[in-house]
Amino acid sequence: VSVNLFVYNGINRFSLGDDGNHRIRTAYVLGLKTIPLKISKIVDFQNVNSWFNVKNGLYTSEEAKQIFINYFNYSGQGAYV
């Protein structure tokens, strides 16, 4: 299952990548305790200025940081408000 790794203040969190939710649900139904993961992307808070949407001007680095923190802390809607 492809996952994204989010890194912030020494804490790592995973989120599903583009797919995999059906495989995770199936593993759960089958009672599997572990499943193999593949890290497809690492999003490190310290590298905000190299993020695609900051580099292309869609977000300022401050806006991107706020979106990241909201997402990382499971708060907000993922968009800058």
Side-chain angles (χ1 to χ4, degrees):
V1 175
S2 188
V3 296
N4 300 318
L5 173 65
F6 292 85
V7 181
Y8 179 60
N9 286 338
I11 300 170
N12 298 329
R13 293 211 171 134
F14 293 102
S15 75
L16 284 176
D18 295 333
D19 61 10
N21 55 341
H22 290 105
R23 283 174 271 173
I24 290 174
R25 289 182 186 142
T26 302
Y28 176 77
V29 168
L30 293 173
L32 299 178
K33 300 295 181 193
T34 62
I35 57 172
L37 301 177
K38 175 186 170 191
I39 297 173
S40 62
K41 184 191 306 183
I42 298 174
V43 182
D44 189 337
F45 187 80
Q46 297 298 318
N47 298 330
V48 67
N49 290 322
S50 66
W51 296 352
F52 180 77
N53 285 330
V54 173
K55 287 172 71 173
N56 71 14
L58 182 62
Y59 298 114
T60 67
S61 62
E62 292 306 311
E63 290 169 334
K65 286 178 183 179
Q66 187 60 55
I67 293 167
F68 179 97
I69 290 169
N70 287 343
Y71 187 82
F72 192 84
N73 292 322
Y74 309 114
S75 61
Q77 301 299 313
Y80 183 75
V81 180

